[in-house]
Amino acid sequence: MNPYNMMIKLGRLIIDKGFKVEDQPHDVFNYFSVMSDYMEGRTVNEFFTLFPPIKRYKNDGTWDYHSTLELKQKLGETFTRESFQEILMSHCYENKYIWVLGLAFMNCIDCLYEKEKGRSVMETWAIDNGLTIYEQRKGEILPKLYLIK
């Protein structure tokens, strides 16, 4: 199977059909796992040719032409499973379909983590860093209460 077709199909499903990752996080995670396997060994140039980034030449802290060149150089000649997932999760690559896939991948990981741990990755990070988490209860914004097992 062609991983690029897989990316476009999932991107279209999310963008055009309003597919919600939260409804089927295990299936989405498995889809990304298979896609990552198929991306292994594919050339980085091929990916950047098929999914060109949004080009900006001014360095404003978002994607610009120079950060794209730096990323391509860092990735090397071919993708590994990990480098493909890294481009999805840590860079939120600015291309219409890839950006959506990156968010979907992070969302499905967060959903699976929350099902297992009882709180999201962000909540865990905030608690570990001494930040208070708030929630809406009875029309008021109050500190979140956690069930202690």
Side-chain angles (χ1 to χ4, degrees):
M1 181 167 256
N2 185 332
Y4 300 118
N5 288 344
M6 293 176 75
M7 289 179 219
I8 291 169
K9 285 178 182 178
L10 183 57
R12 284 184 177 159
L13 187 64
I14 293 168
I15 293 169
D16 299 337
K17 305 288 184 191
F19 176 75
K20 303 271 187 236
V21 173
E22 305 85 24
D23 295 341
Q24 299 175 19
H26 287 286
D27 294 336
V28 174
F29 184 81
N30 290 338
Y31 193 85
F32 275 108
S33 182
V34 169
M35 194 179 352
S36 299
D37 288 342
Y38 285 130
M39 278 304 292
E40 194 165 7
R42 296 277 183 157
T43 67
V44 171
N45 281 335
E46 180 183 50
F47 175 84
F48 279 90
T49 300
L50 292 172
F51 298 107
I54 294 170
K55 291 204 170 93
R56 289 188 202 91
Y57 294 95
K58 182 179 177 186
N59 184 359
D60 59 0
T62 61
W63 276 97
D64 62 22
Y65 180 70
H66 300 293
S67 64
T68 302
L69 293 178
E70 288 172 13
L71 176 63
K72 280 177 73 172
Q73 196 170 30
K74 179 184 170 199
L75 291 170
E77 293 285 319
T78 59
F79 278 106
T80 64
R81 177 183 175 84
E82 292 77 21
S83 66
F84 174 66
Q85 291 178 353
E86 180 184 345
I87 199 171
L88 289 178
M89 288 198 321
S90 63
H91 299 288
C92 282
Y93 184 70
E94 282 196 43
N95 174 280
K96 181 179 178 179
Y97 292 109
I98 303 303
W99 179 76
V100 166
L101 293 181
L103 292 176
F105 188 48
M106 289 186 283
N107 192 10
C108 84
I109 289 171
D110 188 57
C111 288
L112 294 173
Y113 184 91
E114 189 169 359
K115 282 184 179 183
E116 182 181 323
K117 305 286 185 182
R119 60 176 68 133
S120 71
V121 173
M122 195 65 204
E123 282 180 286
T124 301
W125 179 86
I127 290 166
D128 291 348
N129 287 284
L131 301 173
T132 304
I133 307 296
Y134 294 90
E135 66 181 349
Q136 188 168 356
R137 288 193 315 266
K138 298 179 184 176
E140 294 183 65
I141 304 292
L142 300 168
K144 188 165 185 174
L145 303 174
Y146 292 98
L147 180 63
I148 300 172
K149 293 182 181 180

PDB file of all heavy atoms in Angstrom, residues 95-129:
ATOM      1  N   ASN A  95       1.358  21.814   5.956  1.00  0.00           N
ATOM      2  CA  ASN A  95       0.780  21.412   4.688  1.00  0.00           C
ATOM      3  C   ASN A  95      -0.651  21.018   5.034  1.00  0.00           C
ATOM      4  O   ASN A  95      -0.880  20.421   6.089  1.00  0.00           O
ATOM      5  CB  ASN A  95       1.562  20.235   4.099  1.00  0.00           C
ATOM      6  CG  ASN A  95       0.921  19.688   2.849  1.00  0.00           C
ATOM      7  OD1 ASN A  95      -0.033  18.925   2.929  1.00  0.00           O
ATOM      8  ND2 ASN A  95       1.453  20.067   1.701  1.00  0.00           N
ATOM      9  N   LYS A  96      -1.593  21.311   4.165  1.00  0.00           N
ATOM     10  CA  LYS A  96      -3.007  21.118   4.482  1.00  0.00           C
ATOM     11  C   LYS A  96      -3.313  19.742   5.077  1.00  0.00           C
ATOM     12  O   LYS A  96      -3.964  19.648   6.106  1.00  0.00           O
ATOM     13  CB  LYS A  96      -3.841  21.343   3.227  1.00  0.00           C
ATOM     14  CG  LYS A  96      -5.322  21.184   3.436  1.00  0.00           C
ATOM     15  CD  LYS A  96      -6.085  21.445   2.160  1.00  0.00           C
ATOM     16  CE  LYS A  96      -7.573  21.235   2.373  1.00  0.00           C
ATOM     17  NZ  LYS A  96      -8.337  21.504   1.158  1.00  0.00           N
ATOM     18  N   TYR A  97      -2.818  18.684   4.477  1.00  0.00           N
ATOM     19  CA  TYR A  97      -3.143  17.339   4.962  1.00  0.00           C
ATOM     20  C   TYR A  97      -2.219  16.885   6.088  1.00  0.00           C
ATOM     21  O   TYR A  97      -2.659  16.237   7.026  1.00  0.00           O
ATOM     22  CB  TYR A  97      -3.114  16.327   3.814  1.00  0.00           C
ATOM     23  CG  TYR A  97      -4.235  16.567   2.842  1.00  0.00           C
ATOM     24  CD1 TYR A  97      -3.985  17.078   1.582  1.00  0.00           C
ATOM     25  CD2 TYR A  97      -5.549  16.312   3.189  1.00  0.00           C
ATOM     26  CE1 TYR A  97      -5.017  17.318   0.695  1.00  0.00           C
ATOM     27  CE2 TYR A  97      -6.591  16.549   2.318  1.00  0.00           C
ATOM     28  CZ  TYR A  97      -6.317  17.055   1.072  1.00  0.00           C
ATOM     29  OH  TYR A  97      -7.340  17.300   0.205  1.00  0.00           O
ATOM     30  N   ILE A  98      -0.950  17.203   5.982  1.00  0.00           N
ATOM     31  CA  ILE A  98       0.004  16.722   6.981  1.00  0.00           C
ATOM     32  C   ILE A  98      -0.229  17.402   8.320  1.00  0.00           C
ATOM     33  O   ILE A  98      -0.151  16.773   9.372  1.00  0.00           O
ATOM     34  CB  ILE A  98       1.453  16.914   6.495  1.00  0.00           C
ATOM     35  CG1 ILE A  98       1.668  16.210   5.153  1.00  0.00           C
ATOM     36  CG2 ILE A  98       2.453  16.432   7.527  1.00  0.00           C
ATOM     37  CD1 ILE A  98       1.350  14.727   5.169  1.00  0.00           C
ATOM     38  N   TRP A  99      -0.568  18.660   8.320  1.00  0.00           N
ATOM     39  CA  TRP A  99      -0.851  19.381   9.560  1.00  0.00           C
ATOM     40  C   TRP A  99      -2.018  18.720  10.295  1.00  0.00           C
ATOM     41  O   TRP A  99      -1.960  18.473  11.496  1.00  0.00           O
ATOM     42  CB  TRP A  99      -1.168  20.838   9.220  1.00  0.00           C
ATOM     43  CG  TRP A  99      -1.496  21.672  10.394  1.00  0.00           C
ATOM     44  CD1 TRP A  99      -0.624  22.186  11.315  1.00  0.00           C
ATOM     45  CD2 TRP A  99      -2.805  22.106  10.794  1.00  0.00           C
ATOM     46  NE1 TRP A  99      -1.313  22.903  12.258  1.00  0.00           N
ATOM     47  CE2 TRP A  99      -2.642  22.875  11.966  1.00  0.00           C
ATOM     48  CE3 TRP A  99      -4.078  21.917  10.284  1.00  0.00           C
ATOM     49  CZ2 TRP A  99      -3.720  23.453  12.624  1.00  0.00           C
ATOM     50  CZ3 TRP A  99      -5.144  22.502  10.943  1.00  0.00           C
ATOM     51  CH2 TRP A  99      -4.954  23.258  12.090  1.00  0.00           C
ATOM     52  N   VAL A 100      -3.054  18.382   9.557  1.00  0.00           N
ATOM     53  CA  VAL A 100      -4.229  17.725  10.138  1.00  0.00           C
ATOM     54  C   VAL A 100      -3.857  16.342  10.665  1.00  0.00           C
ATOM     55  O   VAL A 100      -4.320  15.928  11.730  1.00  0.00           O
ATOM     56  CB  VAL A 100      -5.362  17.637   9.086  1.00  0.00           C
ATOM     57  CG1 VAL A 100      -6.443  16.676   9.517  1.00  0.00           C
ATOM     58  CG2 VAL A 100      -5.957  18.999   8.841  1.00  0.00           C
ATOM     59  N   LEU A 101      -3.008  15.614   9.941  1.00  0.00           N
ATOM     60  CA  LEU A 101      -2.586  14.289  10.388  1.00  0.00           C
ATOM     61  C   LEU A 101      -1.771  14.380  11.669  1.00  0.00           C
ATOM     62  O   LEU A 101      -1.913  13.539  12.562  1.00  0.00           O
ATOM     63  CB  LEU A 101      -1.766  13.586   9.304  1.00  0.00           C
ATOM     64  CG  LEU A 101      -2.512  13.208   8.030  1.00  0.00           C
ATOM     65  CD1 LEU A 101      -1.572  12.510   7.064  1.00  0.00           C
ATOM     66  CD2 LEU A 101      -3.709  12.352   8.327  1.00  0.00           C
ATOM     67  N   GLY A 102      -0.907  15.383  11.758  1.00  0.00           N
ATOM     68  CA  GLY A 102      -0.119  15.564  12.980  1.00  0.00           C
ATOM     69  C   GLY A 102      -1.009  15.784  14.189  1.00  0.00           C
ATOM     70  O   GLY A 102      -0.811  15.175  15.242  1.00  0.00           O
ATOM     71  N   LEU A 103      -2.004  16.633  14.023  1.00  0.00           N
ATOM     72  CA  LEU A 103      -2.940  16.880  15.124  1.00  0.00           C
ATOM     73  C   LEU A 103      -3.740  15.623  15.453  1.00  0.00           C
ATOM     74  O   LEU A 103      -3.962  15.305  16.629  1.00  0.00           O
ATOM     75  CB  LEU A 103      -3.879  18.036  14.775  1.00  0.00           C
ATOM     76  CG  LEU A 103      -3.237  19.412  14.673  1.00  0.00           C
ATOM     77  CD1 LEU A 103      -4.268  20.447  14.235  1.00  0.00           C
ATOM     78  CD2 LEU A 103      -2.590  19.824  15.976  1.00  0.00           C
ATOM     79  N   ALA A 104      -4.156  14.885  14.423  1.00  0.00           N
ATOM     80  CA  ALA A 104      -4.916  13.649  14.651  1.00  0.00           C
ATOM     81  C   ALA A 104      -4.059  12.615  15.382  1.00  0.00           C
ATOM     82  O   ALA A 104      -4.551  11.926  16.288  1.00  0.00           O
ATOM     83  CB  ALA A 104      -5.408  13.082  13.320  1.00  0.00           C
ATOM     84  N   PHE A 105      -2.793  12.504  15.010  1.00  0.00           N
ATOM     85  CA  PHE A 105      -1.897  11.546  15.655  1.00  0.00           C
ATOM     86  C   PHE A 105      -1.711  11.895  17.128  1.00  0.00           C
ATOM     87  O   PHE A 105      -1.829  11.040  18.010  1.00  0.00           O
ATOM     88  CB  PHE A 105      -0.560  11.520  14.917  1.00  0.00           C
ATOM     89  CG  PHE A 105       0.373  10.431  15.362  1.00  0.00           C
ATOM     90  CD1 PHE A 105      -0.063   9.128  15.495  1.00  0.00           C
ATOM     91  CD2 PHE A 105       1.700  10.709  15.620  1.00  0.00           C
ATOM     92  CE1 PHE A 105       0.802   8.108  15.889  1.00  0.00           C
ATOM     93  CE2 PHE A 105       2.580   9.710  16.002  1.00  0.00           C
ATOM     94  CZ  PHE A 105       2.127   8.409  16.140  1.00  0.00           C
ATOM     95  N   MET A 106      -1.462  13.169  17.405  1.00  0.00           N
ATOM     96  CA  MET A 106      -1.295  13.592  18.799  1.00  0.00           C
ATOM     97  C   MET A 106      -2.591  13.418  19.582  1.00  0.00           C
ATOM     98  O   MET A 106      -2.573  13.017  20.742  1.00  0.00           O
ATOM     99  CB  MET A 106      -0.817  15.042  18.863  1.00  0.00           C
ATOM    100  CG  MET A 106       0.621  15.197  18.406  1.00  0.00           C
ATOM    101  SD  MET A 106       1.272  16.851  18.626  1.00  0.00           S
ATOM    102  CE  MET A 106       0.526  17.716  17.263  1.00  0.00           C
ATOM    103  N   ASN A 107      -3.726  13.685  18.933  1.00  0.00           N
ATOM    104  CA  ASN A 107      -5.029  13.540  19.583  1.00  0.00           C
ATOM    105  C   ASN A 107      -5.309  12.076  19.932  1.00  0.00           C
ATOM    106  O   ASN A 107      -5.796  11.771  21.024  1.00  0.00           O
ATOM    107  CB  ASN A 107      -6.116  14.107  18.682  1.00  0.00           C
ATOM    108  CG  ASN A 107      -7.437  14.269  19.385  1.00  0.00           C
ATOM    109  OD1 ASN A 107      -7.541  14.131  20.604  1.00  0.00           O
ATOM    110  ND2 ASN A 107      -8.463  14.569  18.612  1.00  0.00           N
ATOM    111  N   CYS A 108      -5.001  11.157  19.020  1.00  0.00           N
ATOM    112  CA  CYS A 108      -5.289   9.738  19.312  1.00  0.00           C
ATOM    113  C   CYS A 108      -4.370   9.233  20.424  1.00  0.00           C
ATOM    114  O   CYS A 108      -4.813   8.473  21.285  1.00  0.00           O
ATOM    115  CB  CYS A 108      -5.216   8.880  18.056  1.00  0.00           C
ATOM    116  SG  CYS A 108      -3.629   8.285  17.553  1.00  0.00           S
ATOM    117  N   ILE A 109      -3.131   9.686  20.457  1.00  0.00           N
ATOM    118  CA  ILE A 109      -2.230   9.297  21.546  1.00  0.00           C
ATOM    119  C   ILE A 109      -2.751   9.838  22.870  1.00  0.00           C
ATOM    120  O   ILE A 109      -2.755   9.134  23.880  1.00  0.00           O
ATOM    121  CB  ILE A 109      -0.792   9.775  21.262  1.00  0.00           C
ATOM    122  CG1 ILE A 109      -0.202   8.951  20.115  1.00  0.00           C
ATOM    123  CG2 ILE A 109       0.085   9.680  22.504  1.00  0.00           C
ATOM    124  CD1 ILE A 109       1.116   9.462  19.598  1.00  0.00           C
ATOM    125  N   ASP A 110      -3.219  11.078  22.860  1.00  0.00           N
ATOM    126  CA  ASP A 110      -3.767  11.682  24.075  1.00  0.00           C
ATOM    127  C   ASP A 110      -5.016  10.935  24.544  1.00  0.00           C
ATOM    128  O   ASP A 110      -5.183  10.673  25.736  1.00  0.00           O
ATOM    129  CB  ASP A 110      -4.086  13.156  23.833  1.00  0.00           C
ATOM    130  CG  ASP A 110      -4.464  13.876  25.112  1.00  0.00           C
ATOM    131  OD1 ASP A 110      -3.657  13.863  26.065  1.00  0.00           O
ATOM    132  OD2 ASP A 110      -5.570  14.454  25.166  1.00  0.00           O
ATOM    133  N   CYS A 111      -5.889  10.556  23.604  1.00  0.00           N
ATOM    134  CA  CYS A 111      -7.109   9.808  23.960  1.00  0.00           C
ATOM    135  C   CYS A 111      -6.763   8.460  24.576  1.00  0.00           C
ATOM    136  O   CYS A 111      -7.359   8.055  25.588  1.00  0.00           O
ATOM    137  CB  CYS A 111      -7.987   9.598  22.728  1.00  0.00           C
ATOM    138  SG  CYS A 111      -8.818  11.062  22.146  1.00  0.00           S
ATOM    139  N   LEU A 112      -5.812   7.761  23.988  1.00  0.00           N
ATOM    140  CA  LEU A 112      -5.407   6.453  24.512  1.00  0.00           C
ATOM    141  C   LEU A 112      -4.758   6.594  25.886  1.00  0.00           C
ATOM    142  O   LEU A 112      -5.013   5.799  26.790  1.00  0.00           O
ATOM    143  CB  LEU A 112      -4.448   5.762  23.535  1.00  0.00           C
ATOM    144  CG  LEU A 112      -5.060   5.367  22.197  1.00  0.00           C
ATOM    145  CD1 LEU A 112      -3.986   4.859  21.250  1.00  0.00           C
ATOM    146  CD2 LEU A 112      -6.167   4.350  22.370  1.00  0.00           C
ATOM    147  N   TYR A 113      -3.950   7.637  26.063  1.00  0.00           N
ATOM    148  CA  TYR A 113      -3.304   7.891  27.350  1.00  0.00           C
ATOM    149  C   TYR A 113      -4.360   8.188  28.415  1.00  0.00           C
ATOM    150  O   TYR A 113      -4.300   7.676  29.530  1.00  0.00           O
ATOM    151  CB  TYR A 113      -2.331   9.071  27.213  1.00  0.00           C
ATOM    152  CG  TYR A 113      -1.547   9.365  28.458  1.00  0.00           C
ATOM    153  CD1 TYR A 113      -0.305   8.772  28.679  1.00  0.00           C
ATOM    154  CD2 TYR A 113      -2.014  10.263  29.419  1.00  0.00           C
ATOM    155  CE1 TYR A 113       0.433   9.045  29.817  1.00  0.00           C
ATOM    156  CE2 TYR A 113      -1.290  10.542  30.559  1.00  0.00           C
ATOM    157  CZ  TYR A 113      -0.063   9.937  30.756  1.00  0.00           C
ATOM    158  OH  TYR A 113       0.664  10.212  31.889  1.00  0.00           O
ATOM    159  N   GLU A 114      -5.339   9.006  28.046  1.00  0.00           N
ATOM    160  CA  GLU A 114      -6.391   9.377  28.991  1.00  0.00           C
ATOM    161  C   GLU A 114      -7.234   8.168  29.393  1.00  0.00           C
ATOM    162  O   GLU A 114      -7.609   8.022  30.559  1.00  0.00           O
ATOM    163  CB  GLU A 114      -7.279  10.470  28.403  1.00  0.00           C
ATOM    164  CG  GLU A 114      -8.244  11.057  29.396  1.00  0.00           C
ATOM    165  CD  GLU A 114      -8.926  12.316  28.893  1.00  0.00           C
ATOM    166  OE1 GLU A 114      -8.649  12.767  27.775  1.00  0.00           O
ATOM    167  OE2 GLU A 114      -9.751  12.858  29.649  1.00  0.00           O
ATOM    168  N   LYS A 115      -7.509   7.281  28.450  1.00  0.00           N
ATOM    169  CA  LYS A 115      -8.259   6.062  28.785  1.00  0.00           C
ATOM    170  C   LYS A 115      -7.481   5.191  29.755  1.00  0.00           C
ATOM    171  O   LYS A 115      -8.044   4.576  30.647  1.00  0.00           O
ATOM    172  CB  LYS A 115      -8.583   5.272  27.525  1.00  0.00           C
ATOM    173  CG  LYS A 115      -9.724   5.835  26.735  1.00  0.00           C
ATOM    174  CD  LYS A 115     -10.059   4.957  25.549  1.00  0.00           C
ATOM    175  CE  LYS A 115     -11.236   5.546  24.795  1.00  0.00           C
ATOM    176  NZ  LYS A 115     -11.651   4.697  23.688  1.00  0.00           N
ATOM    177  N   GLU A 116      -6.166   5.141  29.581  1.00  0.00           N
ATOM    178  CA  GLU A 116      -5.331   4.299  30.438  1.00  0.00           C
ATOM    179  C   GLU A 116      -5.057   4.932  31.794  1.00  0.00           C
ATOM    180  O   GLU A 116      -5.125   4.265  32.824  1.00  0.00           O
ATOM    181  CB  GLU A 116      -3.991   4.025  29.740  1.00  0.00           C
ATOM    182  CG  GLU A 116      -3.075   3.109  30.527  1.00  0.00           C
ATOM    183  CD  GLU A 116      -1.754   2.887  29.822  1.00  0.00           C
ATOM    184  OE1 GLU A 116      -1.738   2.795  28.584  1.00  0.00           O
ATOM    185  OE2 GLU A 116      -0.734   2.814  30.531  1.00  0.00           O
ATOM    186  N   LYS A 117      -4.776   6.241  31.812  1.00  0.00           N
ATOM    187  CA  LYS A 117      -4.342   6.907  33.046  1.00  0.00           C
ATOM    188  C   LYS A 117      -5.437   7.698  33.756  1.00  0.00           C
ATOM    189  O   LYS A 117      -5.263   8.109  34.891  1.00  0.00           O
ATOM    190  CB  LYS A 117      -3.187   7.871  32.747  1.00  0.00           C
ATOM    191  CG  LYS A 117      -2.003   7.248  32.054  1.00  0.00           C
ATOM    192  CD  LYS A 117      -1.208   6.395  32.981  1.00  0.00           C
ATOM    193  CE  LYS A 117       0.037   5.889  32.248  1.00  0.00           C
ATOM    194  NZ  LYS A 117       0.861   5.040  33.007  1.00  0.00           N
ATOM    195  N   GLY A 118      -6.542   7.985  33.069  1.00  0.00           N
ATOM    196  CA  GLY A 118      -7.621   8.738  33.696  1.00  0.00           C
ATOM    197  C   GLY A 118      -7.469  10.246  33.584  1.00  0.00           C
ATOM    198  O   GLY A 118      -8.299  10.996  34.086  1.00  0.00           O
ATOM    199  N   ARG A 119      -6.419  10.704  32.936  1.00  0.00           N
ATOM    200  CA  ARG A 119      -6.221  12.138  32.672  1.00  0.00           C
ATOM    201  C   ARG A 119      -5.388  12.290  31.408  1.00  0.00           C
ATOM    202  O   ARG A 119      -4.679  11.386  31.023  1.00  0.00           O
ATOM    203  CB  ARG A 119      -5.579  12.847  33.848  1.00  0.00           C
ATOM    204  CG  ARG A 119      -4.220  12.340  34.246  1.00  0.00           C
ATOM    205  CD  ARG A 119      -3.603  13.149  35.361  1.00  0.00           C
ATOM    206  NE  ARG A 119      -4.325  12.972  36.592  1.00  0.00           N
ATOM    207  CZ  ARG A 119      -3.782  12.723  37.755  1.00  0.00           C
ATOM    208  NH1 ARG A 119      -2.485  12.624  37.874  1.00  0.00           N
ATOM    209  NH2 ARG A 119      -4.523  12.578  38.833  1.00  0.00           N
ATOM    210  N   SER A 120      -5.511  13.447  30.786  1.00  0.00           N
ATOM    211  CA  SER A 120      -4.810  13.664  29.520  1.00  0.00           C
ATOM    212  C   SER A 120      -3.310  13.870  29.749  1.00  0.00           C
ATOM    213  O   SER A 120      -2.861  14.094  30.877  1.00  0.00           O
ATOM    214  CB  SER A 120      -5.396  14.888  28.810  1.00  0.00           C
ATOM    215  OG  SER A 120      -5.023  16.069  29.490  1.00  0.00           O
ATOM    216  N   VAL A 121      -2.568  13.812  28.670  1.00  0.00           N
ATOM    217  CA  VAL A 121      -1.125  14.064  28.729  1.00  0.00           C
ATOM    218  C   VAL A 121      -0.875  15.472  29.251  1.00  0.00           C
ATOM    219  O   VAL A 121       0.003  15.696  30.090  1.00  0.00           O
ATOM    220  CB  VAL A 121      -0.479  13.883  27.332  1.00  0.00           C
ATOM    221  CG1 VAL A 121       0.977  14.310  27.337  1.00  0.00           C
ATOM    222  CG2 VAL A 121      -0.627  12.458  26.849  1.00  0.00           C
ATOM    223  N   MET A 122      -1.660  16.429  28.787  1.00  0.00           N
ATOM    224  CA  MET A 122      -1.484  17.822  29.203  1.00  0.00           C
ATOM    225  C   MET A 122      -1.802  17.997  30.685  1.00  0.00           C
ATOM    226  O   MET A 122      -1.099  18.724  31.394  1.00  0.00           O
ATOM    227  CB  MET A 122      -2.380  18.735  28.355  1.00  0.00           C
ATOM    228  CG  MET A 122      -2.020  20.177  28.446  1.00  0.00           C
ATOM    229  SD  MET A 122      -0.373  20.415  27.753  1.00  0.00           S
ATOM    230  CE  MET A 122       0.089  21.895  28.584  1.00  0.00           C
ATOM    231  N   GLU A 123      -2.859  17.345  31.168  1.00  0.00           N
ATOM    232  CA  GLU A 123      -3.184  17.414  32.593  1.00  0.00           C
ATOM    233  C   GLU A 123      -2.043  16.834  33.425  1.00  0.00           C
ATOM    234  O   GLU A 123      -1.660  17.405  34.445  1.00  0.00           O
ATOM    235  CB  GLU A 123      -4.459  16.636  32.905  1.00  0.00           C
ATOM    236  CG  GLU A 123      -5.729  17.342  32.530  1.00  0.00           C
ATOM    237  CD  GLU A 123      -6.937  16.501  32.870  1.00  0.00           C
ATOM    238  OE1 GLU A 123      -7.191  15.514  32.167  1.00  0.00           O
ATOM    239  OE2 GLU A 123      -7.633  16.852  33.854  1.00  0.00           O
ATOM    240  N   THR A 124      -1.502  15.718  32.993  1.00  0.00           N
ATOM    241  CA  THR A 124      -0.391  15.089  33.705  1.00  0.00           C
ATOM    242  C   THR A 124       0.806  16.017  33.742  1.00  0.00           C
ATOM    243  O   THR A 124       1.438  16.197  34.791  1.00  0.00           O
ATOM    244  CB  THR A 124      -0.013  13.744  33.041  1.00  0.00           C
ATOM    245  OG1 THR A 124      -1.166  12.901  33.057  1.00  0.00           O
ATOM    246  CG2 THR A 124       1.133  13.066  33.764  1.00  0.00           C
ATOM    247  N   TRP A 125       1.113  16.626  32.607  1.00  0.00           N
ATOM    248  CA  TRP A 125       2.241  17.570  32.550  1.00  0.00           C
ATOM    249  C   TRP A 125       2.012  18.744  33.498  1.00  0.00           C
ATOM    250  O   TRP A 125       2.910  19.141  34.230  1.00  0.00           O
ATOM    251  CB  TRP A 125       2.434  18.075  31.116  1.00  0.00           C
ATOM    252  CG  TRP A 125       3.549  19.060  31.001  1.00  0.00           C
ATOM    253  CD1 TRP A 125       4.873  18.801  30.818  1.00  0.00           C
ATOM    254  CD2 TRP A 125       3.439  20.491  31.092  1.00  0.00           C
ATOM    255  NE1 TRP A 125       5.581  19.964  30.779  1.00  0.00           N
ATOM    256  CE2 TRP A 125       4.727  21.016  30.950  1.00  0.00           C
ATOM    257  CE3 TRP A 125       2.369  21.364  31.279  1.00  0.00           C
ATOM    258  CZ2 TRP A 125       4.983  22.380  30.982  1.00  0.00           C
ATOM    259  CZ3 TRP A 125       2.635  22.723  31.313  1.00  0.00           C
ATOM    260  CH2 TRP A 125       3.928  23.229  31.164  1.00  0.00           C
ATOM    261  N   ALA A 126       0.803  19.296  33.479  1.00  0.00           N
ATOM    262  CA  ALA A 126       0.493  20.447  34.334  1.00  0.00           C
ATOM    263  C   ALA A 126       0.616  20.077  35.814  1.00  0.00           C
ATOM    264  O   ALA A 126       1.201  20.823  36.604  1.00  0.00           O
ATOM    265  CB  ALA A 126      -0.908  20.969  34.031  1.00  0.00           C
ATOM    266  N   ILE A 127       0.085  18.934  36.198  1.00  0.00           N
ATOM    267  CA  ILE A 127       0.165  18.493  37.596  1.00  0.00           C
ATOM    268  C   ILE A 127       1.609  18.255  37.994  1.00  0.00           C
ATOM    269  O   ILE A 127       2.045  18.680  39.073  1.00  0.00           O
ATOM    270  CB  ILE A 127      -0.700  17.230  37.804  1.00  0.00           C
ATOM    271  CG1 ILE A 127      -2.181  17.604  37.698  1.00  0.00           C
ATOM    272  CG2 ILE A 127      -0.407  16.575  39.145  1.00  0.00           C
ATOM    273  CD1 ILE A 127      -3.106  16.420  37.557  1.00  0.00           C
ATOM    274  N   ASP A 128       2.375  17.611  37.118  1.00  0.00           N
ATOM    275  CA  ASP A 128       3.790  17.362  37.399  1.00  0.00           C
ATOM    276  C   ASP A 128       4.591  18.653  37.551  1.00  0.00           C
ATOM    277  O   ASP A 128       5.633  18.671  38.194  1.00  0.00           O
ATOM    278  CB  ASP A 128       4.420  16.497  36.306  1.00  0.00           C
ATOM    279  CG  ASP A 128       3.910  15.067  36.316  1.00  0.00           C
ATOM    280  OD1 ASP A 128       3.246  14.666  37.305  1.00  0.00           O
ATOM    281  OD2 ASP A 128       4.168  14.347  35.327  1.00  0.00           O
ATOM    282  N   ASN A 129       4.092  19.726  36.948  1.00  0.00           N
ATOM    283  CA  ASN A 129       4.780  21.014  37.014  1.00  0.00           C
ATOM    284  C   ASN A 129       4.113  21.989  37.980  1.00  0.00           C
ATOM    285  O   ASN A 129       4.378  23.193  37.924  1.00  0.00           O
ATOM    286  CB  ASN A 129       4.894  21.615  35.610  1.00  0.00           C
ATOM    287  CG  ASN A 129       5.916  20.875  34.789  1.00  0.00           C
ATOM    288  OD1 ASN A 129       7.109  21.054  34.972  1.00  0.00           O
ATOM    289  ND2 ASN A 129       5.461  20.001  33.912  1.00  0.00           N
TER     290      ASN A 129
END
